[in-house]
Amino acid sequence: MCCPMKRYDSTNKSKQWITSEVRDASIKLKNLYWLHRILETRDSLRQYRTFKLTYRVLINNAKRKFNDKILSNSTNINRSVWKIVNGETGRKKNTMNKITLSMGEDECSEPGKVANAFGEYFSKVAARSLEEHYGGSLSRSCTSSKMRNENFFFLPVMGNEILSTIKGLKNKKCTGTDYMTARILKHVAALVSEHLAHLINLSIASGRFPSVLKVATVIPVHKKNDPNIISNYRPVSILSVFSKVIEKIVFDRVNNYLNKYKIISNNQHGFRAGRSTQTAAVSLVGYVHECLDAGLHVAGFFFDQSRAFDCLMFGFILDKLYNLGFRGIFHDWLGSFIGGRSVVVRVQNGLSGNYGSTLGVPQGSVLGPLLFLLFINDLPEQVKAERIIIFADDTSFAISAPSHEELSSRCKVLLTDYIEWCRKNSLLLNLDKTECIYFSTNSLHRDVLSFVYDDVILTSKPHTRFLGIYVDSRLRWCDHVDQLCRRLNSAYYAIYRIKKSLPVDTLLSVYYGLFYAHMDYNIILWGNSVDVGRVFLSQKRVVRLMFNLGPRESCKKSFVDKNMLTAPSLYIFRCLLYIRENECSLPRLADSHRYLTRYGDLMALPKHRSSRFESSPLYQGRKLYNHLPPEVRSLPYPLFKIKIRKQLLRKGYYSVGEFLGDRFDI
């Protein structure tokens, strides 16, 4: 009654920047063009071309005034900026107003029937995939960690904790089946916080999760290939905002318990504070550099799992949680949370019926990713390898051996053990998308690794994609730089299209969103490679475009004046931050003796045989860190980060050597 649903059709708002002056100029330009077609004289052509330039300037000024007005009146500047950018560059959201599916020999586009078809497919596809993959050999028991002596205890929830949790919710417009948004809940948070706290405590004490919050609204989103085939869609689940409040409270308590007893494996880098794709990639690449420098043969396996979150069996999840210390009434609550769930598919204005789910962790939930991490937490105990890197459902292994024959033998054992672990836990391993790399420093290296399993031939390749970066067998990063430059060129084109329609300050926001974000991603790995100069050239090219610089004019003044980090400065910045974040685990010079020396607090550079090892992120990071004055190294992390950034912005270094040859300003 207080918040009634209202539907309205949005009108076409394109080209609202057109003014009466622009319309008059457009008519005049058409008349001049018509006059030139009749006269075909030099004077008529000159008049047409001159006024055409005037007309273009008029359009750009009208667009800029209109966009400035939108940004000045906007309550969400970032959203308004990206709406303008997407409109100017022709970027469209990946949404489909009408979905047509192939059902047998016929095609259906009626929203209700299409929604039911999706509901039937999404609710059964995981079970069907397991049946097709394993058949009658599906495991009845799973692997698990050793039984822990600790027990998890849920502390009661207070009203002020609920209030802070509600205030921390994002103001998203998407709603579950109750049509309640986070914005509405925030308006009444002070009135309902005590009541919600009582309900949550009652839910935990009874070991039951509210059934009304187990229904998820699913929106099918097209992934790729033919949009008429139902398997080319993925479900996006939207849960009630009340469910998210309960899950956030439970998540904080469970996460504190896991961190206190260090239960989650150190090999896991996904969905964890202080861990990221950067820490995962540095762990793998650093190990490969060490092995290659020691003269060992190294291989990397990059496994791909299909529907990893959807195929988990409820019984297996609860068994593993019990061993990790979640017992008693809270164990019953977890069973109630993951079981008895259903989905309602929404296609346009059509809704499907309720379709139950018997597998997987709840999609779109706060606790779902954490439950998955706990499910696969025993992997390092069951499958042995020199280096294991896990990022959510992406699992990678690195193996080394003194000879090619021994390396091949170890790889076969690893492959067999991991496939068996997946079978025991009813996980789907996609061997067709699994990659293997045989690392080497020799450009004439021709040896390959080849394995056969279930009629699938797995052969080592020269490069592969790993967590968004392209790793090659020689760690030269040429393939990654090639892919990155393509993206940077696309960003350059987008900035070129919108340059005349936006002020410089807004254009910088677009630069950081379209260009800088791609350049910054895992630059600690490839920022010292041979081809990094190509990325820096692309950056200077876009800077010249934004600030109207000549082709031979220096960009350093623009970098300094606009507080923009150059590509080499960004690499130095990320390396220094990584070393500072992990300095406790890195050896210092004072650790090798008992004497109090002048340089004892410096990082100890690892001994190595090859010059290639010096390009590894840990070596370069420690070398750059040792260049800092003691006064800077002793600063607290927040001040250290600010001090380093100010120095790099003030100097605008064009190379790592320029930084090492310069004196740091204290």
Side-chain angles (χ1 to χ4, degrees):
M1 293 173 62
C2 298
C3 308
M5 289 288 296
K6 292 185 178 180
R7 297 186 182 276
Y8 62 93
D9 296 329
S10 60
T11 57
N12 185 13
K13 298 182 179 180
S14 62
K15 298 186 178 180
Q16 289 186 339
W17 50 267
I18 296 179
T19 62
S20 58
E21 188 179 3
V22 174
R23 291 192 184 93
D24 295 340
S26 176
I27 295 173
K28 184 177 179 180
L29 183 65
K30 292 178 181 178
N31 291 336
L32 288 175
Y33 176 74
W34 173 80
L35 182 63
H36 171 64
R37 291 292 301 270
I38 295 176
L39 300 178
E40 294 185 354
T41 61
R42 291 184 178 179
D43 185 56
S44 63
L45 180 61
R46 180 185 57 79
Q47 291 183 19
Y48 170 71
R49 288 180 174 176
T50 303
F51 191 76
K52 189 175 182 179
L53 295 176
T54 305
Y55 178 67
R56 288 178 178 175
V57 173
L58 190 63
I59 287 178
N60 292 331
N61 291 337
K63 285 184 177 181
R64 179 167 297 188
K65 290 181 181 179
F66 179 76
N67 293 334
D68 287 344
K69 184 178 179 181
I70 290 178
L71 296 177
S72 61
N73 298 330
S74 175
T75 57
N76 191 330
I77 298 295
N78 291 331
R79 181 181 298 174
S80 301
V81 167
W82 287 109
K83 188 175 181 180
I84 294 171
V85 172
N86 293 334
E88 290 292 330
T89 58
R91 296 165 178 253
K92 295 182 180 179
K93 294 183 179 179
N94 189 21
T95 58
M96 301 184 67
N97 295 326
K98 187 176 182 180
I99 298 178
T100 303
L101 295 180
S102 298
M103 298 181 180
E105 298 180 356
D106 301 328
E107 292 186 350
C108 179
S109 59
E110 184 181 340
K113 292 183 179 179
V114 172
N116 281 298
F118 276 117
E120 182 78 15
Y121 174 76
F122 290 147
S123 62
K124 296 183 178 180
V125 62
R128 190 182 301 118
S129 300
L130 284 175
E131 181 66 25
E132 293 175 355
H133 188 82
Y134 290 109
S137 62
L138 195 62
S139 178
R140 300 301 176 185
S141 61
C142 62
T143 62
S144 184
S145 303
K146 295 180 180 179
M147 183 76 71
R148 301 191 66 90
N149 296 325
E150 302 86 9
N151 287 303
F152 173 79
F153 179 74
F154 188 91
L155 296 175
V157 186
M158 306 301 291
N160 56 351
E161 186 178 0
I162 296 293
L163 192 61
S164 61
T165 301
I166 293 176
K167 290 182 178 179
L169 295 174
K170 296 182 180 179
N171 290 326
K172 293 185 178 181
K173 294 183 179 180
C174 56
T175 62
T177 55
D178 54 7
Y179 296 102
M180 173 65 73
T181 64
R183 190 183 298 272
I184 296 175
L185 185 59
K186 287 183 178 181
H187 282 298
V188 297
L191 300 176
V192 302
S193 58
E194 293 292 341
H195 302 288
L196 284 178
H198 172 68
L199 291 174
I200 294 175
N201 291 329
L202 187 61
S203 172
I204 300 296
S206 61
R208 293 169 58 191
F209 186 79
S211 300
V212 71
L213 301 182
K214 296 182 184 181
V215 183
T217 301
V218 172
I219 309 296
V221 177
H222 179 245
K223 294 186 296 184
K224 57 182 179 180
N225 300 332
D226 190 357
N228 294 333
I229 300 177
I230 196 171
S231 59
N232 292 333
Y233 289 81
R234 63 180 178 88
V236 175
S237 298
I238 305 172
L239 294 172
S240 170
V241 66
F242 294 106
S243 176
K244 292 183 179 180
V245 172
I246 299 175
E247 292 181 58
K248 282 181 177 291
I249 297 295
V250 175
F251 178 89
D252 291 339
R253 283 160 168 71
V254 171
N255 196 44
N256 291 336
Y257 167 77
L258 297 174
N259 293 334
K260 179 180 179 180
Y261 296 105
K262 299 180 180 179
I263 293 177
I264 297 183
S265 170
N266 287 328
N267 303 104
Q268 178 62 255
H269 297 263
F271 303 114
R272 298 185 65 189
R275 302 292 184 95
S276 63
T277 57
Q278 175 177 287
T279 59
V282 169
S283 177
L284 175 69
V285 173
Y287 175 78
V288 173
H289 272 292
E290 293 174 2
C291 292
L292 292 178
D293 186 71
L296 300 174
H297 296 256
V298 192
F301 282 91
F302 307 88
F303 291 100
D304 178 80
Q305 291 183 0
S306 301
R307 307 185 182 278
F309 286 77
D310 301 334
C311 293
L312 307 187
M313 291 191 173
F314 293 164
F316 290 0
I317 299 175
L318 295 176
D319 290 346
K320 295 197 176 193
L321 292 175
Y322 186 87
N323 283 9
L324 294 176
F326 300 97
R327 307 181 181 102
I329 198 68
F330 188 74
H331 187 267
D332 298 336
W333 186 90
L334 289 172
S336 176
F337 172 77
I338 63 177
R341 290 191 169 264
S342 60
V343 299
V344 175
V345 181
R346 181 190 300 167
V347 177
Q348 293 177 278
N349 58 349
L351 291 176
S352 71
N354 281 33
Y355 289 88
S357 176
T358 57
L359 293 172
V361 294
Q363 287 196 15
S365 64
V366 179
L367 285 176
L370 183 60
L371 293 177
F372 180 81
L373 297 191
L374 297 178
F375 185 88
I376 64 173
N377 193 58
D378 65 312
L379 172 60
E381 303 173 12
Q382 305 293 330
V383 182
K384 301 299 181 181
E386 283 80 357
R387 185 61 55 94
I388 303 176
I389 299 94
I390 311 173
F391 190 89
D393 59 335
D394 290 325
T395 307
S396 306
F397 297 89
I399 307 175
S400 61
S403 65
H404 176 272
E405 293 74 15
E406 187 174 349
L407 178 65
S408 179
S409 177
R410 290 186 180 182
C411 289
K412 291 178 181 178
V413 174
L414 169 70
L415 187 61
T416 303
D417 291 346
Y418 184 70
I419 292 175
E420 181 63 18
W421 180 84
C422 290
R423 188 194 67 80
K424 289 181 178 179
N425 293 279
S426 299
L427 294 173
L428 297 176
L429 178 61
N430 191 348
L431 286 176
D432 293 331
K433 293 185 178 180
T434 296
E435 304 284 353
C436 175
I437 290 186
Y438 192 1
F439 292 100
S440 173
T441 57
N442 187 358
S443 59
L444 301 178
H445 180 78
R446 293 291 182 269
D447 292 337
V448 296
L449 295 171
S450 183
F451 313 97
V452 180
Y453 193 92
D454 285 347
D455 299 330
V456 177
I457 301 177
L458 182 61
T459 306
S460 58
K461 296 183 178 180
H463 55 81
T464 188
R465 187 176 182 181
F466 169 62
L467 298 178
I469 58 176
Y470 292 84
V471 183
D472 58 277
S473 59
R474 298 182 60 200
L475 296 180
R476 295 181 61 88
W477 307 107
C478 301
D479 299 287
H480 180 77
V481 172
D482 288 341
Q483 297 292 333
L484 178 61
C485 286
R486 292 192 184 99
R487 292 191 174 186
L488 298 183
N489 290 336
S490 298
Y492 176 89
Y493 171 74
I495 294 174
Y496 171 79
R497 285 289 304 273
I498 64 174
K499 174 192 172 185
K500 298 179 181 179
S501 304
L502 293 174
V504 175
D505 294 339
T506 308
L507 207 61
L508 279 172
S509 300
V510 179
Y511 160 80
Y512 282 108
L514 293 180
F515 192 98
Y516 182 87
H518 292 298
M519 184 179 66
D520 183 32
Y521 184 73
N522 278 335
I523 193 174
I524 188 176
L525 299 172
W526 53 268
N528 198 40
S529 64
V530 177
D531 288 350
V532 70
R534 294 165 53 196
V535 178
F536 191 29
L537 287 176
S538 297
Q539 186 188 24
K540 290 191 286 187
R541 182 170 172 242
V542 78
V543 168
R544 288 192 173 94
L545 172 67
M546 291 192 297
F547 305 122
N548 299 315
L549 302 180
R552 305 186 68 84
E553 191 173 352
S554 175
C555 299
K556 178 168 281 194
K557 188 175 185 303
S558 298
F559 279 115
V560 175
D561 293 343
K562 298 299 180 180
N563 289 329
M564 300 171 63
L565 287 175
T566 63
S569 295
L570 181 59
Y571 169 72
I572 296 169
F573 182 64
R574 292 303 178 196
C575 286
L576 291 175
L577 291 187
Y578 184 84
I579 295 299
R580 181 55 189 272
E581 291 167 357
N582 299 274
E583 62 177 343
C584 295
S585 60
L586 298 175
R588 298 179 181 270
L589 293 177
D591 296 338
S592 59
H593 52 75
R594 300 180 180 178
Y595 303 102
L596 183 61
T597 58
R598 183 183 306 173
Y599 302 111
D601 63 332
L602 295 180
M603 294 289 175
L605 296 178
K607 297 180 180 180
H608 57 283
R609 301 188 307 172
S610 62
S611 59
R612 176 66 61 86
F613 181 81
E614 296 180 1
S615 64
S616 63
L618 287 177
Y619 184 91
Q620 281 292 321
R622 281 182 265 195
K623 184 177 179 180
L624 294 169
Y625 189 82
N626 289 342
H627 179 67
L628 301 176
E631 296 84 356
V632 177
R633 295 197 301 267
S634 60
L635 289 174
Y637 180 79
L639 296 178
F640 175 85
K641 185 177 180 179
I642 294 173
K643 189 71 175 179
I644 296 298
R645 187 176 181 85
K646 284 184 177 180
Q647 172 77 4
L648 296 175
L649 290 173
R650 190 186 310 118
K651 296 290 185 175
Y653 295 112
Y654 269 32
S655 66
V656 176
E658 186 180 351
F659 170 78
L660 294 174
D662 189 23
R663 184 175 178 273
F664 196 95
D665 298 335
I666 302 176

